[in-house]
Amino acid sequence: DAGVTQSPTHLIKTRGQHVTLRCSPISGHKSVSWYQQVLGQGPQFIFQYYEKEERGRGNFPDRFSARQFPNYSSELNVNALLLGDSALYLCASSLAGGRRNEQFFGPGTRLTVL
Amino acid sequence: GESVGLHLPTLSVQEGDNSIINCAYSNSASDYFIWYKQESGKGPQFIIDIRSNMDKRQGQRVTVLLNKTVKHLSLQIAATQPGDSAVYFCAETWSNDYKLSFGAGTTVTVRA
């Protein structure tokens, strides 16, 4: 069975640009969460979506936005990129929303902002 | 085996020994805890979880211990293998929240 897939694998952008990261959850999973993992640190929660509705948002600026599509795939958008946005962006899917459902992580998208 | 009382960012273990990874969590209201393993170039992989109404849970070669009094969580790995080399994270969450809050992580290196 296919796990969580993310694209692209790697991405290089310059300050001020915007970026769109994509995630396809495991088949049958209806919830997607996004995390930012800066090198050497644990993942930090950005968003959770369930049935196309935002269920939770972490402490990130409005430059970060996301959405979930009818097929439960999701996009994370970041505008006006800063150097500090360089990180591994992880997508996790679960059967339903809420933290008691086991979250399965994808391999991540490595974003480098120059 | 190796026993670490405090959280350390790195842990070196002899193959075949037992290892213990410690984590101090921050929120006394947290009621669900998970250990994840992250190998280089991969996303975190679920290892084992425990709820706050338990103080011990065992899986295959792994045991998680929870001490709510001192807000401490530990992961014990029996007979550590080279494939156990990775970064290990503990994560916590609580009833009114949907997010997982991750700790700093411990890098485990297994010596042959």
Side-chain angles (χ1 to χ4, degrees):
Chain A
D1 287 342
V4 177
T5 58
Q6 294 185 243
S7 62
T9 305
H10 296 87
L11 200 54
I12 299 175
K13 292 286 188 177
T14 57
R15 283 178 297 175
Q17 286 188 312
H18 72 272
V19 68
T20 298
L21 310 181
R22 295 177 175 82
C23 171
S24 292
I26 292 172
S27 178
H29 285 194
K30 298 182 178 181
S31 179
V32 169
S33 298
W34 287 95
Y35 291 80
Q36 179 196 64
Q37 186 176 22
V38 173
L39 192 63
Q41 297 181 18
Q44 298 294 313
F45 174 78
I46 310 176
F47 288 108
Q48 184 181 92
Y49 276 77
Y50 174 62
E51 289 282 15
K52 303 180 289 296
E53 297 288 329
E54 182 182 303
R55 275 294 188 86
R57 183 186 181 112
N59 188 24
F60 280 81
D62 292 343
R63 298 185 296 107
F64 289 77
S65 63
R67 56 179 175 168
Q68 187 177 32
F69 299 98
N71 66 354
Y72 303 109
S73 66
S74 177
E75 284 183 352
L76 175 69
N77 295 282
V78 187
N79 294 324
L81 285 167
L82 303 174
L83 296 179
D85 294 331
S86 295
L88 180 68
Y89 288 85
L90 294 163
C91 172
S93 78
S94 58
L95 282 170
R99 75 292 186 272
R100 296 212 182 274
N101 290 280
E102 182 180 338
Q103 296 191 24
F104 295 82
F105 284 84
T109 293
R110 172 71 62 187
L111 173 64
T112 301
V113 182
L114 302 176
Chain B
E2 302 234 2
S3 176
V4 182
L6 301 175
H7 170 259
L8 294 179
T10 61
L11 179 64
S12 181
V13 183
Q14 184 69 40
E15 182 179 355
D17 284 354
N18 298 331
S19 37
I20 299 176
I21 306 165
N22 293 295
C23 175
Y25 63 91
S26 58
N27 191 338
S28 57
S30 293
D31 60 0
Y32 182 55
F33 307 87
I34 309 170
W35 279 99
Y36 283 93
K37 171 186 180 183
Q38 187 173 25
E39 297 175 278
S40 180
K42 297 183 180 180
Q45 178 186 3
F46 175 94
I47 302 173
I48 191 169
D49 60 358
I50 189 168
R51 304 189 179 194
S52 59
N53 61 353
M54 304 171 67
D55 53 20
K56 181 179 180 179
R57 190 164 188 225
Q58 290 183 296
Q60 186 177 11
R61 280 202 308 120
V62 294
T63 300
V64 56
L65 299 178
L66 174 63
N67 186 331
K68 296 181 288 295
T69 302
V70 294
K71 292 192 292 185
H72 183 267
L73 196 66
S74 68
L75 177 70
Q76 301 176 3
I77 304 174
T80 311
Q81 303 170 358
D84 295 328
S85 293
V87 181
Y88 289 81
F89 293 98
C90 65
E92 63 183 294
T93 187
W94 49 97
S95 301
N96 294 328
D97 209 340
Y98 292 97
K99 69 182 180 185
L100 293 172
S101 294
F102 285 80
T106 296
T107 300
V108 173
T109 302
V110 180
R111 306 188 305 270

